[in-house]
Structure formats: structure tokens, C-alpha cells
Amino acid sequence: MDKIIKQNPQTIAIIIQIISKNNSLFIKIIMLQKLIQNLIKGLKKEFPEIEKENFQFPSRFGDISCNICFVEGKKKGISPRELALKKLKKIEIPSEFEKVEERNGYLNFYFNYEKIGKEILLKNFENKPKTKKRIMVEFSNPNPCKAMHIGHARTTFLGDSISRILKFQGNEIIRANYYNDLGKQVAKMVFAMQKYKIENKKKIDHELADIYAKLHKEIDEETLNKKSQEILYELENKTGKFESEWKFVVQNAIKGFEETYKNLGIKFDVCFYENEFKEEGKKIALKLLKKGFAFKHENSIVINLEKYGIPNTVLVRSDGTTLYLTSDLALTIYKFEKFNLASSIWVVGSEQNLHFRQLFKILELLGYKWITNCKHISYGIVTLRGSKMSSRSGEYILIDDLIDEVVEKGIEEVKKRNPDLSEREIKKIAKKIGIGALKYDILKTDRDRNEEFNPNKAIKFEGNTGPYIQYTVVRCNSILKNIKEKDLEIGKINKFEKELLKKFLEFSTVIEKSSEKLKPNLICNYAFELATIFSKFYENCKVIGSENESFRAKLVKKTKEILEICLDLLGIEIPEKM
């Protein structure tokens, strides 16, 4: 692909072209360099120092705005508006633009859509692949003592979408899951296995979660901590004691997780297990002790981070057992050495911010240069109708139960609209709608904010929801099935058609921003805006049998293609009917 200038307030416009290749959609992007260069030529006489950075797209007023009057006015001691009005009539605009207006000191240029519309919809460009980076994205990381609840949904959906976005941008992505299979919580789960029986009445990871919650209700904290520490000691030292219970817990919990992942369409390229990095973690702790970065306290090894404004923390307990951070040090080093990574990303909740500050600082102290390419992507908590879930209290909402709920609501909606479909077809469609609703609602919220999930709102077919975007694609497909493709002819373009064309131009900048900021909600926002603009177009512009059928059919097709890409980047499937 052509080199892309990073988005900033002065980002210039982009044209996108979507094509089909090997049954996959690819996007070809070029800068509107010709248009900007022509604008610069027209303005150069009046503004000799004008540059492409003075232009902004999209613009609130006009199609492209220019701030040159602020720059030049400051130098000349003239207000931007006075200068703009003075120069307005002298500006020569190229044929690709129909007019220029002044507003609050800005020069706002309006596209000649009849002139550039065909190019936006049809022109093909040579595809030059971007330089690939090998990036590992670690996400989901459920604990074997807990069935996955709605809180895990956010890391899972964010990690999946971020992986898709980065891959779409030409990177090689390694999707990783890390199971904390040998920590104090798992030791508590082993203790629970000794006290309670598995009744095999539920999905196995659900039963394990139930007895874990039951243990916390019935056993006092002091006894529980003492017993779990004893179990952890035996397991870490591989004495053989508690090994069968431990294997049962871990293997069956992961079996349950894998069923959930399959249901959600989530895949991983590699899975890591904490028990495999315990010994190497201890060696790293001893190395830190030898180098003077750590110290002994009551026979524990403590990393000294206070001088860097970070709290000290234990790496090895007095009985020789280690903590999650210790294993994570070993795993991070292993990642970069084994997979030759350019960068590594962790999608983990904001409650672990301190953990990553400590992890990254320790690796920096050890001299690993690649630490600058490590990034923790945090996110806020998820509540269901305002109530935070906790696996310790037993008051948690399982992802599996939530899937069942949204799919059931999807069945109700599909039956209303398609009563003649078979039960099998209804369930197939409802699953795509329900899971799509769940994913979209979680992803549409900026990850820096807390999310309150309401399944009743998420499943609606109108508003900023997954089903609304899916329905727009289904509607586009329905229109296109009834139209024979013809040569493109463009006549007078109305305001609804212009809004669609302009929105198409924004797509590439949205993808760039979403990739740079690692925020899928930007794609959700764009998809909703495009679907809304399309809805207004469809309500006001006849497509089939109209004088402008060929042009309007291309607008429908382009809308469909872009929304398909958006939904794919969000990990959402599109049903055949709705």
C-alpha cells in the first residue's frame, strides 16, 4: 500500500478502494495527494507558505478545511477571518471542488462530487504491502478456578478485535492465551475439590466455579490462606501430592473454556501455562538479587522498585513459592526470544496496571531493549445493569449464560420478522445476531471507560447496536440481488448521495486511528454512522428502477463492503436473513 501519513488534526484526505481477492476483502488506500496538491497550487499565490499539513479531513464545515489564515494572520497581525474574507475571491480552486467558503477564519472547500464520485467508487490502485511486524497479542487469560464471566468478555472481545485490526494493517499477529494454572487461587480450587464433589449436572467449568465460590462462603479467610499455601508448596515442589486433583481442575476448566471460545468464534495461535515458567522465574529472581535490584526480607526475595516511584513487591515467598509476576517475567523473555517479536501487547483490565508497571520496570532493569515495545492495553470494569460481578461471592454472570440469553432474545426477534423459517434456520440466524449483539455492545464503549451491559438494549434492531449494523448489510444484499450490474453513470448527485460518498472517504482514517490507538470502538462508531447515513439515503432515494440505478447500486455495494469489513474486524458474523 502507499505510505500512509498518520492521523492528526491536519490529516489529509484518503480515498479507499475495496476489492475482492482470494475470497477475502482487502482495502487499497491512496492519499488524495492530487486534490490537495491542486488546492495548494490554487492557494500558493495568496499563501506562499501553505503546506498539506494545513488541511483537515473530515471537516465539520465543508468537505476539507484549511487553517492557513490562522497561521498567516498571526504573522501579519490580522485576524484569521479578516484575512480569509480578503483572500476568498482571489483563490483559484481546481475542478474537483465546486466552491470555497469562509467560516470563523477557516477556508472550507466543497467537493465536486459529480467529478470525483466515479473515482471514489471504481478506481483501482496498485497494492503495495506494508512492512509487516510480528506482534503478539495476549488476551482473555481466564483463571482455572473461575468459569468465564462477563468481565472476561471484555478482554476476549477486545483482544480478538485488536488482533484482527492489526492483521488487517499488514502485521503478522500471534494470538496468545496465558493460563494461571499454578497459583494460590488454583491451590484453593484443589482444596475445594477435597471438600466437595463434582455432580456433573452442569458444564464442568461452571461446577468448578460453583464449588470455588462455596469454599469462600464456608471457610474463613485465615484457614483458607493457610491451606492453599500448603497445597501450592507441594505442587510447586512437585512432590506428587495433590497432583491428580490439580490436573483434574486445570484440564477440565480449560476444556470448558475451549467450548466457550468455539461458541464465540475465538481462536488462539499459542497457549502458555504458568507452571512451565515457575523455575525460570525463580532463576530471574535470584539474578535480580545478585545484581542488587532485589533484597531478602524474612527469607523472601523482594524487588526494590520504590526508588522508581513503584511499590516494592515479593518475587519469591519465604517458603520458596513464587507469584504470578515472577512467572510473567520468565514468560515475557521467552516470548521475545522464541517468537522474535517486534512488539508484545497485553489486553488486561485496569486493576492490573500496577502489575505491568512492575513487570516492565524489572525487565528494563535487566537490560532488555525490547521493553519499549511492550504495551499494556487496559480497560474498565463491566457491570450488568449496574452490578459488578465477583467470582468470590458467587454473584457473577457467566458468559455462557449471557450467550444463551442474547441468543434466546435473538430467536424472539427473528420469529417476529420471519415466522415461516424453520427452527433450524431461526436458531442459526439468532446465534449470529445474539453473539454479534454481545460483542458489539462490549466493543462500542471506549475501553478507557467502564461498560454497563444491558442485553435488552444490545439486541435491538435499531440504534447503535450490532443487529442494526448486521441488518443494514442484509438490506444491502437484498437490494443488490434484484439489480443487474451495469456500467456506472453519474448524473446530478443529491445531498443523501454526497453524505455517503463523503463517509466512504473517512473509512481509511478510521482504520488508521483504530490501529494506532488500539480502540475498536472507533470502528463501531464509524459503522453506526455509515449505517445511519445509508438508512437516510435508502428512505429518500429510490434505487431499483430509478434513473440513477447504476450509480445508486454502486453506493449500496460500497456501503455493504465497508460494513462487512467493519463487522469482520469486530469479530461479528453476518446472517443471511434478519
Side-chain angles (χ1 to χ4, degrees):
M1 291 184 185
D2 291 350
K3 187 177 180 182
I4 298 171
I5 296 178
K6 291 185 176 180
Q7 170 74 2
N8 57 52
Q10 288 77 39
T11 298
I12 63 177
I14 309 173
I15 282 182
I16 62 170
Q17 175 66 25
I18 302 170
I19 64 169
S20 181
K21 182 179 181 182
N22 298 327
N23 297 319
S24 297
L25 281 171
F26 288 85
I27 185 169
K28 287 187 174 184
I29 305 171
I30 67 163
M31 304 302 293
L32 283 176
Q33 290 175 335
K34 180 181 176 183
L35 292 177
I36 298 298
Q37 286 168 358
N38 287 345
L39 278 176
I40 290 173
K41 286 178 183 177
L43 294 171
K44 202 77 173 177
K45 184 177 178 181
E46 300 299 323
F47 302 101
E49 297 183 16
I50 194 166
E51 298 176 343
K52 62 188 178 212
E53 285 77 19
N54 295 119
F55 295 90
Q56 182 177 347
F57 174 84
S59 171
R60 185 179 175 188
F61 301 106
D63 294 317
I64 296 179
S65 65
C66 180
N67 67 357
I68 188 62
C69 292
F70 287 82
V71 178
E72 293 287 321
K74 186 176 181 180
K75 292 179 181 178
K76 297 177 180 179
I78 305 173
S79 75
R81 188 161 193 270
E82 182 183 348
L83 183 59
L85 291 171
K86 182 180 178 181
K87 299 285 188 178
L88 196 60
K89 293 181 180 179
K90 299 178 181 179
I91 293 173
E92 297 177 10
I93 59 173
S95 61
E96 294 93 343
F97 296 85
E98 62 179 19
K99 64 179 178 178
V100 57
E101 294 179 345
E102 180 278 336
R103 188 180 180 98
N104 298 327
Y106 288 93
L107 295 174
N108 299 303
F109 297 88
Y110 293 79
F111 289 133
N112 182 340
Y113 284 97
E114 284 80 6
K115 181 85 173 178
I116 67 171
K118 193 169 185 177
E119 184 179 27
I120 293 173
L121 292 171
L122 293 182
K123 190 172 181 180
N124 293 318
F125 308 105
E126 290 185 12
N127 185 31
K128 297 178 182 178
K130 297 172 69 175
T131 303
K132 287 186 177 181
K133 291 182 180 179
R134 181 177 290 176
I135 303 170
M136 182 172 285
V137 182
E138 182 188 306
F139 62 98
S140 197
N141 302 359
N143 195 307
C145 67
K146 307 175 184 179
M148 287 196 284
H149 57 65
I150 193 174
H152 293 111
R154 201 162 197 192
T155 169
T156 303
F157 299 158
L158 277 170
D160 177 59
S161 183
I162 287 169
S163 297
R164 290 168 181 267
I165 293 165
L166 292 174
K167 183 177 180 180
F168 188 78
Q169 290 295 85
N171 299 293
E172 179 186 351
I173 303 302
I174 302 172
R175 296 156 162 259
N177 200 349
Y178 182 30
Y179 292 115
N180 177 12
D181 67 338
L182 191 55
K184 203 165 183 178
Q185 289 179 315
V186 173
K188 290 177 182 179
M189 189 70 249
V190 171
F191 182 33
M193 284 290 297
Q194 293 180 312
K195 291 186 65 63
Y196 311 111
K197 289 183 179 180
I198 297 294
E199 297 180 358
N200 295 315
K201 292 182 179 180
K202 296 181 177 181
K203 190 164 171 272
I204 185 62
D205 54 325
H206 293 198
E207 288 213 31
L208 291 171
D210 286 347
I211 65 172
Y212 181 80
K214 187 177 181 181
L215 184 76
H216 276 277
K217 286 181 178 179
E218 297 183 359
I219 306 297
D220 66 273
E221 197 72 21
E222 185 179 349
T223 302
L224 190 53
N225 283 330
K226 182 179 179 182
K227 186 62 180 177
S228 61
Q229 192 60 41
E230 291 172 3
I231 293 171
L232 182 60
Y233 177 84
E234 299 291 342
L235 290 172
E236 278 206 28
N237 286 281
K238 300 179 180 178
T239 64
K241 200 173 180 181
F242 308 115
E243 187 175 356
S244 61
E245 295 96 330
W246 171 68
K247 285 183 177 178
F248 179 89
V249 168
V250 173
Q251 290 172 2
N252 282 282
I254 292 175
K255 179 183 176 183
F257 299 155
E258 288 174 346
E259 289 178 25
T260 303
Y261 290 137
K262 185 177 180 180
N263 205 14
L264 291 168
I266 304 293
K267 296 180 180 179
F268 296 94
D269 301 305
V270 61
C271 291
F272 301 116
Y273 303 88
E274 187 184 4
N275 82 85
E276 297 174 355
F277 298 93
K278 288 282 187 180
E279 286 303 314
E280 188 60 32
K282 287 181 182 178
K283 292 178 183 178
I284 293 170
L286 291 172
K287 184 178 180 180
L288 289 162
L289 186 64
K290 187 176 180 180
K291 285 178 171 286
F293 295 127
F295 60 90
K296 280 284 190 82
H297 176 70
E298 296 180 354
N299 215 32
S300 297
I301 298 179
V302 180
I303 183 71
N304 186 3
L305 298 175
E306 285 185 348
K307 64 175 76 174
Y308 307 105
I310 304 171
N312 293 346
T313 189
V314 174
L315 294 177
V316 181
R317 299 185 185 96
S318 58
D319 64 356
T321 59
T322 58
L323 290 90
Y324 188 82
L325 175 61
T326 322
S327 302
D328 216 0
L329 288 166
L331 171 58
T332 305
I333 295 168
Y334 176 82
K335 284 179 180 179
F336 276 87
E337 292 181 350
K338 172 71 174 178
F339 296 95
N340 191 28
L341 303 178
S343 64
S344 185
I345 293 169
W346 288 258
V347 184
V348 182
S350 56
E351 68 273 11
Q352 293 297 321
N353 286 349
L354 176 59
H355 169 87
F356 285 99
R357 287 178 65 205
Q358 291 169 332
L359 175 68
F360 295 164
K361 191 62 187 180
I362 295 169
L363 291 167
E364 180 188 329
L365 293 173
L366 287 168
Y368 291 103
K369 304 297 183 186
W370 41 252
I371 192 60
T372 56
N373 298 320
C374 292
K375 185 176 291 187
H376 170 216
I377 301 303
S378 66
Y379 53 85
I381 62 170
V382 183
T383 59
L384 183 69
R385 302 186 186 97
S387 176
K388 187 179 179 182
M389 291 143 293
S390 167
S391 58
R392 290 190 60 172
S393 67
E395 298 170 359
Y396 52 90
I397 307 299
L398 300 180
I399 291 181
D400 294 318
D401 292 341
L402 202 54
I403 291 171
D404 290 342
E405 182 179 350
V406 291
V407 170
E408 189 59 41
K409 291 181 183 296
I411 288 173
E412 293 172 11
E413 294 294 332
V414 175
K415 280 183 176 179
K416 286 180 193 175
R417 292 164 170 77
N418 301 276
D420 297 330
L421 291 177
S422 68
E423 283 295 315
R424 184 179 176 184
E425 285 180 300
I426 289 171
K427 287 180 180 178
K428 183 180 177 183
I429 293 169
K431 183 178 179 182
K432 291 180 180 179
I433 293 172
I435 291 176
L438 175 60
K439 288 184 176 182
Y440 186 90
D441 205 75
I442 296 290
L443 290 171
K444 77 177 184 181
T445 302
D446 188 315
R447 60 178 172 77
D448 293 330
R449 294 167 48 203
N450 293 337
E451 154 76 3
E452 182 176 307
F453 179 76
N454 185 326
N456 295 313
K457 291 182 179 179
I459 202 68
K460 287 183 180 295
F461 278 44
E462 58 278 332
N464 191 7
T465 68
Y468 177 64
I469 312 301
Q470 290 171 316
Y471 178 71
T472 304
V473 177
V474 171
R475 175 186 274 179
C476 289
N477 282 326
S478 177
I479 296 168
L480 294 170
K481 283 178 183 177
N482 293 291
I483 295 177
K484 290 183 179 180
E485 194 154 345
K486 302 174 184 177
D487 291 337
L488 177 60
E489 294 180 8
I490 298 180
K492 186 70 177 175
I493 298 177
N494 65 36
K495 65 177 182 178
F496 301 105
E497 295 162 336
K498 287 180 181 180
E499 284 300 308
L500 270 179
L501 287 169
K502 183 176 180 179
K503 204 66 186 175
F504 296 159
L505 290 175
E506 291 181 33
F507 181 50
S508 297
T509 52
V510 171
I511 296 296
E512 280 296 302
K513 285 180 70 175
S514 181
S515 176
E516 290 167 14
K517 297 185 177 185
L518 301 176
K519 289 192 172 185
N521 68 292
L522 299 177
I523 292 174
C524 294
N525 296 343
Y526 174 83
F528 173 59
E529 290 166 3
L530 176 58
T532 302
I533 292 169
F534 176 80
S535 180
K536 290 178 182 177
F537 157 79
Y538 186 69
E539 289 170 5
N540 291 277
C541 303
K542 181 181 178 182
V543 179
I544 301 172
S546 70
E547 291 182 2
N548 297 324
E549 182 181 279
S550 66
F551 171 60
R552 289 178 178 172
K554 293 294 183 186
L555 292 174
V556 174
K557 186 179 180 182
K558 186 68 68 177
T559 300
K560 167 187 116 74
E561 290 174 334
I562 292 177
L563 289 179
E564 282 176 338
I565 292 177
C566 289
L567 289 173
D568 183 64
L569 294 178
L570 300 172
I572 296 173
E573 294 184 275
I574 302 166
E576 297 75 27
K577 298 178 181 179
M578 287 184 74

